[in-house]
Amino acid sequence: MTERAEQPTDAPAAPPSAVPAPAVPATGTGSGGQIPVRRRIFADLTPFRISADYRRLWFGNMVSWVGSGMTALAISLQVYDLTGSSFYVGLVGIFTLVPLVVFGLYGGVIADTVDRRKLGLYSALGSAALSAALSAGTFAGVANVWFLYAVIALQSVCQALNAPARSAMIPKLLPPEQLPAANALNSMIMTTGTLVGPMLGGLVVGFAGYKTAYLIDAITFAASLYAMWRLPAMLPERTGGAKRPSVLEGLRFLATRPNLRMTFFSDFCAMILAQPRALFPAVAVLWYGGDARTTGLLVAAPAVGALLGGVFSGWQGRIQRHGLAVLISVGGWGAAIAAFGLTRQLWLGLLMLAVAGFSDTVSMVFRNTMMQVAAPDDMRGRLQGVFIVVVAGGPRLGDFLAGSVADLTSPTAMVVGGGLACVLAVTVLGLSRRGFSRYDARNPVP
């Protein structure tokens, strides 16, 4: 059977309701009705083929995420150069986190009120301007740590406005059956930026200084800005009359939609109960007799696994029981973390962390797809705002819990116990809300 006909590369993608019926099933088949091996294993690239808008948006976001990763490392290095204090470097995380949490919910409200294309465009332009300000300030010899804190806080505000708008755009660019594939491809943006950006940042700072790293980051936003500029207008579709969107309205909606609510509860099981990140420095020394390089490997392993989860995601488009997939993948995270706590061989520990990262990507793909498909268009921005708050705040709570329990007991007890607690908690959730495990993508019920 033939593949779906490709749209002209410069034509704007039609909304899901206007996309013509595919000539083949959404998963695609080869001759003889067999799905090609490549598409059974590797990431489904169909979203790239059928939507030029999505393709440009994905590439633009990939480039800008790598640039942002460069700046994140450069900021930390410059703060340490200016102060010589790890405490002041730690404050970088606070000045990044607080605006994300405070403005995340309101960014979702704005995304459900205005043209999402314009909101994404202007917020990305603001981030680019702030990176340019960092470069200009460094060129001018501004050596003030509070200037750096102010800029990164404002960049976090821009990110809190940009992310809900950008996520709510995806269901308008692709048909529903392609959203799992699109979310798997999107996961590769984040993990690649996390892995590649800091490495490039270290090289650029070492060879050309902070100002060059910031300037490159500002320039990389051009790809994202171009992609946003080429998009059609994306006003939210109103389903609740003329009532003005609000944070409380979004939270009330979530409170009455058990399946969507469960996507957040299941994620909390992993992020809070089984988050060993804060223990990596101690684990590197106590378990493996290593040093800072060992800690770096432990930090990188889940990100490598997450990237592989996006690369080898071809099978995900054929899964219809999204809720069950979330429960199994979160349980897989917990089991992998518990196994990591039991091993004292570095290669095996890194493998278990990579498995955990792989499971996290699978969970993220299906949770995002459920939010995009089961929620009405005029609620997608606010749900993504809640998602930002959960993703930004949940791991920090997990770090606090891990550090506290490990001090009272031991790192082993915390890691193994936290992993098993995650498995137990997600099992209880699945048994108490059986409708979630029965959620069917062909009949999405929020």
Side-chain angles (χ1 to χ4, degrees):
M1 298 176 69
T2 58
E3 298 287 342
R4 179 186 299 184
E6 183 176 343
Q7 292 184 354
T9 55
D10 288 327
S17 60
V19 174
V24 297
T27 53
T29 58
S31 60
Q34 297 298 316
I35 300 174
V37 173
R38 182 191 66 78
R39 296 187 64 181
R40 290 202 304 265
I41 299 175
F42 294 103
D44 184 359
L45 304 182
T46 303
F48 289 156
R49 294 197 299 270
I50 67 174
S51 174
D53 284 327
Y54 175 78
R55 185 168 64 245
R56 284 190 295 265
L57 192 63
W58 186 92
F59 177 77
N61 288 336
M62 173 67 82
V63 173
S64 62
W65 265 80
V66 171
S68 297
M70 291 176 55
T71 290
L73 180 73
I75 286 282
S76 296
L77 292 174
Q78 189 174 10
V79 168
Y80 189 78
D81 276 353
L82 291 174
T83 64
S85 168
S86 296
F87 172 76
Y88 282 97
V89 176
L91 286 180
V92 171
I94 298 298
F95 280 96
T96 302
L97 173 65
V98 172
L100 275 177
V101 172
V102 172
F103 289 92
L105 293 175
Y106 291 97
V109 172
I110 297 172
D112 287 338
T113 306
V114 303
D115 183 349
R116 289 160 177 163
R117 169 189 171 272
K118 291 183 178 179
L119 178 59
L121 183 64
Y122 295 153
S123 56
L125 184 61
S127 292
L130 288 164
S131 291
L134 279 173
S135 182
T138 308
F139 266 110
V142 177
N144 189 314
V145 69
W146 294 103
F147 167 72
L148 300 178
Y149 289 154
V151 172
I152 60 175
L154 291 173
Q155 282 188 322
S156 289
V157 173
C158 290
Q159 183 182 350
L161 298 175
N162 184 270
R166 190 175 62 242
S167 178
M169 292 175 186
I170 305 302
K172 306 285 283 185
L173 301 177
L174 295 166
E177 67 269 17
Q178 289 302 326
L179 291 180
N183 285 318
L185 292 170
N186 289 343
S187 73
M188 296 168 65
I189 295 175
M190 295 178 285
T191 50
T192 301
T194 301
L195 287 171
V196 176
M199 289 190 296
L200 289 179
L203 292 174
V204 171
V205 169
F207 283 104
Y210 302 114
K211 56 184 178 295
T212 304
Y214 300 143
L215 183 59
I216 291 175
D217 183 24
I219 293 172
T220 60
F221 275 102
S224 180
L225 291 170
Y226 174 74
M228 295 278 187
W229 177 69
R230 289 292 301 273
L231 291 174
M234 290 193 179
L235 287 166
E237 299 172 3
R238 291 279 178 259
T239 59
K243 187 175 180 180
R244 184 178 181 84
S246 68
V247 172
L248 290 179
E249 183 187 4
L251 294 176
R252 283 195 294 266
F253 172 84
L254 187 60
T256 58
R257 302 303 191 274
N259 285 334
L260 294 179
R261 194 167 63 246
M262 276 286 290
T263 64
F264 293 100
F265 288 163
S266 59
D267 197 34
F268 273 135
C269 294
M271 289 191 300
I272 297 177
L273 298 177
Q275 179 58 263
R277 181 179 58 188
L279 304 182
F280 284 162
V283 163
V285 175
L286 297 175
W287 294 0
Y288 305 117
D291 51 19
R293 289 171 293 183
T294 308
T295 302
L297 291 174
L298 295 174
V299 171
V304 171
L307 181 59
L308 293 176
V311 172
F312 297 100
S313 60
W315 57 275
Q316 295 173 13
R318 299 189 296 277
I319 303 298
Q320 304 297 340
R321 299 280 293 277
H322 288 185
L324 182 60
V326 170
L327 295 174
I328 292 174
S329 56
V330 172
W333 165 280
I337 294 300
F340 164 68
L342 293 173
T343 182
R344 294 300 180 267
Q345 297 184 38
L346 180 59
W347 70 268
L348 185 57
L350 295 176
L351 177 61
M352 290 299 99
L353 289 175
V355 170
F358 187 100
S359 299
D360 186 47
T361 290
V362 174
S363 169
M364 183 275 295
V365 167
F366 290 114
R367 286 184 290 109
N368 275 356
T369 302
M370 291 176 69
M371 284 194 293
Q372 291 167 341
V373 174
D377 183 65
D378 62 346
M379 281 289 175
R380 287 173 181 154
R382 276 167 285 183
L383 288 181
Q384 185 63 27
V386 175
F387 179 78
I388 290 174
V389 172
V390 169
V391 169
R396 272 71 182 185
L397 291 176
D399 289 342
F400 175 76
L401 178 65
S404 301
V405 174
D407 276 349
L408 293 173
T409 56
S410 69
T412 300
M414 174 57 221
V415 176
V416 176
L420 295 178
C422 171
V423 175
L424 176 61
V426 79
T427 301
V428 171
L429 282 177
L431 293 175
S432 63
R433 181 61 65 180
R434 295 181 182 273
F436 184 70
S437 62
R438 293 193 294 266
Y439 176 95
D440 193 324
R442 293 163 294 193
N443 182 31
V445 176

